[in-house]
Amino acid sequence: MTSIAAAVIDTERLALLPLRVAHAEEMAAVLADPALYAYTGGTPPTVEELRSRYARQVAGSPDPEVVWCNWVIGVREETRGGRRSAESFAGPLAGYVQATIGPDGDGRTAEIAWVVGTARQGRGIATEAARGLVRWLKEQGVRTLVAHVHPDHRASAAVAKAIGLAPTGERHDGEVRWRWTADQRPAVGP
Protein backbone atom coordinates (compact mmCIF):
# COMPACT_ATOMS: atom_id res chain seq x y z
CA MET A 1 0.00 0.00 0.00
CA THR A 2 1.24 3.48 -0.83
CA SER A 3 2.39 5.20 2.32
CA ILE A 4 -0.30 7.18 4.09
CA ALA A 5 0.36 9.13 7.27
CA ALA A 6 -1.96 11.26 9.34
CA ALA A 7 -1.53 14.94 8.53
CA VAL A 8 -3.11 18.04 10.01
CA ILE A 9 -6.68 18.46 8.79
CA ASP A 10 -8.17 21.94 9.06
CA THR A 11 -11.88 22.66 9.17
CA GLU A 12 -13.69 25.90 9.91
CA ARG A 13 -13.56 25.58 13.70
CA LEU A 14 -11.25 22.64 14.25
CA ALA A 15 -7.73 21.40 13.72
CA LEU A 16 -7.44 17.62 13.57
CA LEU A 17 -3.93 17.03 14.87
CA PRO A 18 -2.01 13.80 14.33
CA LEU A 19 -2.00 11.87 17.58
CA ARG A 20 1.07 12.11 19.83
CA VAL A 21 1.74 10.33 23.12
CA ALA A 22 1.99 13.79 24.69
CA HIS A 23 -1.78 14.24 24.14
CA ALA A 24 -2.53 11.59 26.80
CA GLU A 25 -2.79 13.91 29.79
CA GLU A 26 -5.25 16.35 28.23
CA MET A 27 -7.21 13.56 26.54
CA ALA A 28 -7.61 11.67 29.83
CA ALA A 29 -9.54 14.69 31.11
CA VAL A 30 -11.59 14.90 27.87
CA LEU A 31 -12.50 11.20 28.12
CA ALA A 32 -13.05 11.13 31.92
CA ASP A 33 -16.87 11.16 32.05
CA PRO A 34 -18.23 7.61 32.60
CA ALA A 35 -21.36 8.62 30.63
CA LEU A 36 -19.18 8.69 27.49
CA TYR A 37 -19.04 4.85 27.63
CA ALA A 38 -22.80 4.21 27.80
CA TYR A 39 -22.87 2.78 24.27
CA THR A 40 -19.32 1.53 23.81
CA GLY A 41 -18.73 -0.03 27.20
CA GLY A 42 -15.57 0.31 29.22
CA THR A 43 -14.44 2.93 31.67
CA PRO A 44 -12.53 6.18 31.41
CA PRO A 45 -8.83 5.53 30.70
CA THR A 46 -6.09 6.76 33.00
CA VAL A 47 -3.27 8.93 31.71
CA GLU A 48 -0.92 5.92 31.81
CA GLU A 49 -3.39 3.74 29.89
CA LEU A 50 -3.69 6.43 27.23
CA ARG A 51 0.08 6.85 27.00
CA SER A 52 0.41 3.12 26.40
CA ARG A 53 -2.46 3.04 23.88
CA TYR A 54 -1.19 6.13 22.06
CA ALA A 55 2.33 4.71 21.86
CA ARG A 56 0.92 1.60 20.13
CA GLN A 57 -1.26 3.68 17.81
CA VAL A 58 1.55 6.07 16.88
CA ALA A 59 3.86 3.11 16.16
CA GLY A 60 1.35 1.92 13.59
CA SER A 61 -0.24 -1.31 12.52
CA PRO A 62 1.93 -4.42 12.56
CA ASP A 63 0.25 -5.40 9.27
CA PRO A 64 2.08 -3.64 6.40
CA GLU A 65 -1.16 -3.61 4.37
CA VAL A 66 -3.01 -1.64 7.07
CA VAL A 67 -2.46 1.96 8.16
CA TRP A 68 -3.67 3.42 11.45
CA CYS A 69 -4.36 7.14 11.34
CA ASN A 70 -5.40 8.87 14.55
CA TRP A 71 -6.07 12.51 15.33
CA VAL A 72 -7.10 14.51 18.35
CA ILE A 73 -9.76 17.14 17.73
CA GLY A 74 -8.56 20.61 18.62
CA VAL A 75 -11.08 23.41 18.93
CA ARG A 76 -9.59 26.41 17.23
CA GLU A 77 -9.88 29.59 19.24
CA GLU A 78 -10.23 32.86 17.38
CA THR A 79 -7.44 35.32 17.91
CA ARG A 80 -7.18 39.00 17.08
CA GLY A 81 -5.09 38.24 14.02
CA GLY A 82 -7.51 35.61 12.70
CA ARG A 83 -7.47 31.85 13.03
CA ARG A 84 -4.49 30.16 14.58
CA SER A 85 -2.61 27.89 12.25
CA ALA A 86 -2.57 24.17 13.02
CA GLU A 87 1.20 24.35 13.43
CA SER A 88 0.86 26.76 16.34
CA PHE A 89 -2.39 25.32 17.62
CA ALA A 90 -2.94 25.84 21.32
CA GLY A 91 -6.72 25.45 21.75
CA PRO A 92 -8.45 22.87 23.91
CA LEU A 93 -8.86 19.27 22.78
CA ALA A 94 -12.41 17.93 22.39
CA GLY A 95 -12.05 14.28 21.35
CA TYR A 96 -10.60 12.19 18.57
CA VAL A 97 -11.20 10.70 15.13
CA GLN A 98 -9.51 7.67 13.67
CA ALA A 99 -9.28 5.64 10.50
CA THR A 100 -7.99 2.15 9.87
CA ILE A 101 -7.12 2.05 6.18
CA GLY A 102 -6.60 -1.16 4.26
CA PRO A 103 -6.75 -2.53 0.73
CA ASP A 104 -10.02 -3.48 -0.90
CA GLY A 105 -10.78 -5.05 -4.26
CA ASP A 106 -11.47 -1.64 -5.81
CA GLY A 107 -9.09 0.52 -3.83
CA ARG A 108 -8.82 1.47 -0.20
CA THR A 109 -11.33 1.00 2.61
CA ALA A 110 -11.31 2.95 5.85
CA GLU A 111 -13.06 2.00 9.06
CA ILE A 112 -13.66 5.27 10.86
CA ALA A 113 -14.71 6.36 14.33
CA TRP A 114 -15.25 9.60 16.22
CA VAL A 115 -15.55 10.44 19.92
CA VAL A 116 -16.20 13.85 21.45
CA GLY A 117 -15.98 14.36 25.20
CA THR A 118 -19.29 15.07 26.92
CA ALA A 119 -18.31 18.66 27.78
CA ARG A 120 -18.19 19.54 24.05
CA GLN A 121 -21.07 17.44 22.72
CA GLY A 122 -24.09 18.99 21.03
CA ARG A 123 -22.08 21.65 19.17
CA GLY A 124 -21.54 19.91 15.83
CA ILE A 125 -17.91 19.11 16.60
CA ALA A 126 -18.20 15.39 15.80
CA THR A 127 -19.90 16.11 12.47
CA GLU A 128 -17.38 18.77 11.48
CA ALA A 129 -14.44 16.57 12.46
CA ALA A 130 -15.86 13.54 10.65
CA ARG A 131 -16.47 15.62 7.51
CA GLY A 132 -12.87 16.81 7.58
CA LEU A 133 -11.71 13.23 8.03
CA VAL A 134 -13.85 11.99 5.12
CA ARG A 135 -12.56 14.75 2.84
CA TRP A 136 -8.95 13.82 3.71
CA LEU A 137 -9.58 10.08 3.25
CA LYS A 138 -11.09 10.66 -0.19
CA GLU A 139 -7.95 12.67 -1.10
CA GLN A 140 -5.92 9.58 -0.10
CA GLY A 141 -7.87 7.40 -2.55
CA VAL A 142 -10.23 5.75 -0.08
CA ARG A 143 -13.25 4.40 -1.97
CA THR A 144 -15.19 2.78 0.88
CA LEU A 145 -15.97 4.11 4.35
CA VAL A 146 -17.33 1.99 7.20
CA ALA A 147 -18.42 2.95 10.72
CA HIS A 148 -20.01 0.87 13.47
CA VAL A 149 -22.68 2.63 15.53
CA HIS A 150 -24.64 1.32 18.51
CA PRO A 151 -28.31 1.05 17.44
CA ASP A 152 -29.46 3.34 20.27
CA HIS A 153 -26.78 6.00 19.80
CA ARG A 154 -28.80 8.59 17.88
CA ALA A 155 -26.08 11.26 17.97
CA SER A 156 -23.50 8.99 16.31
CA ALA A 157 -26.07 7.78 13.80
CA ALA A 158 -26.75 11.43 12.93
CA VAL A 159 -23.01 12.01 12.36
CA ALA A 160 -22.79 8.91 10.14
CA LYS A 161 -25.76 10.10 8.10
CA ALA A 162 -24.39 13.65 7.86
CA ILE A 163 -21.13 12.39 6.31
CA GLY A 164 -22.95 10.28 3.72
CA LEU A 165 -22.92 6.82 5.28
CA ALA A 166 -26.04 4.64 5.26
CA PRO A 167 -26.95 1.78 7.60
CA THR A 168 -26.48 -1.62 5.99
CA GLY A 169 -28.58 -3.78 8.28
CA GLU A 170 -25.45 -5.77 9.13
CA ARG A 171 -24.35 -5.95 12.76
CA HIS A 172 -20.90 -6.38 14.27
CA ASP A 173 -20.60 -6.85 18.04
CA GLY A 174 -24.14 -5.51 18.41
CA GLU A 175 -23.42 -2.34 16.44
CA VAL A 176 -24.98 -1.37 13.11
CA ARG A 177 -22.54 -1.24 10.20
CA TRP A 178 -22.82 2.02 8.24
CA ARG A 179 -21.19 2.27 4.81
CA TRP A 180 -20.43 4.53 1.88
CA THR A 181 -18.77 3.58 -1.40
CA ALA A 182 -17.47 5.84 -4.15
CA ASP A 183 -19.78 4.20 -6.74
CA GLN A 184 -22.83 4.56 -4.51
CA ARG A 185 -23.14 8.32 -4.06
CA PRO A 186 -20.92 11.17 -3.02
CA ALA A 187 -19.95 11.31 0.65
CA VAL A 188 -20.98 14.59 2.19
CA GLY A 189 -18.02 16.91 2.45
CA PRO A 190 -17.36 20.15 4.24
Side-chain angles (χ1 to χ4, degrees):
M1 173 178 285
T2 304
S3 179
I4 297 175
V8 172
I9 301 170
D10 283 308
T11 70
E12 183 179 342
R13 299 177 298 154
L14 309 173
L16 306 184
L17 307 168
L19 181 68
R20 293 182 297 124
V21 174
H23 290 125
E25 190 168 339
E26 186 174 355
M27 286 301 295
V30 170
L31 303 173
D33 186 351
L36 193 56
Y37 306 90
Y39 297 108
T40 60
T43 58
T46 66
V47 172
E48 282 308 312
E49 289 169 336
L50 282 181
R51 282 186 185 128
S52 177
R53 179 185 310 164
Y54 290 175
R56 285 189 310 275
Q57 290 175 329
V58 168
S61 170
D63 181 343
E65 293 294 313
V66 175
V67 177
W68 294 343
C69 292
N70 298 276
W71 296 262
V72 291
I73 302 169
V75 178
R76 184 176 281 112
E77 297 177 335
E78 294 292 327
T79 62
R80 291 174 118 178
R83 294 189 336 186
R84 290 185 176 164
S85 72
E87 292 75 29
S88 64
F89 183 81
L93 300 181
Y96 64 86
V97 293
Q98 57 191 41
T100 299
I101 306 166
D104 193 356
D106 289 336
R108 295 184 174 135
T109 294
E111 291 212 15
I112 61 174
W114 50 87
V115 173
V116 171
T118 53
R120 298 257 181 192
Q121 290 178 359
R123 302 176 191 183
I125 291 172
T127 299
E128 185 173 333
R131 283 183 173 150
L133 174 62
V134 166
R135 182 188 75 235
W136 184 85
L137 288 167
K138 288 169 57 179
E139 290 169 359
Q140 307 312 306
V142 170
R143 296 186 44 81
T144 302
L145 300 169
V146 174
H148 296 94
V149 177
H150 188 283
D152 297 329
H153 199 315
R154 291 188 304 230
S156 275
V159 172
K161 184 176 181 180
I163 62 173
L165 278 66
T168 64
E170 299 171 39
R171 298 232 177 180
H172 178 73
D173 291 335
E175 294 182 319
V176 176
R177 181 179 171 115
W178 289 66
R179 182 182 165 122
W180 168 85
T181 61
D183 343 324
Q184 185 179 0
R185 57 185 153 69
V188 175

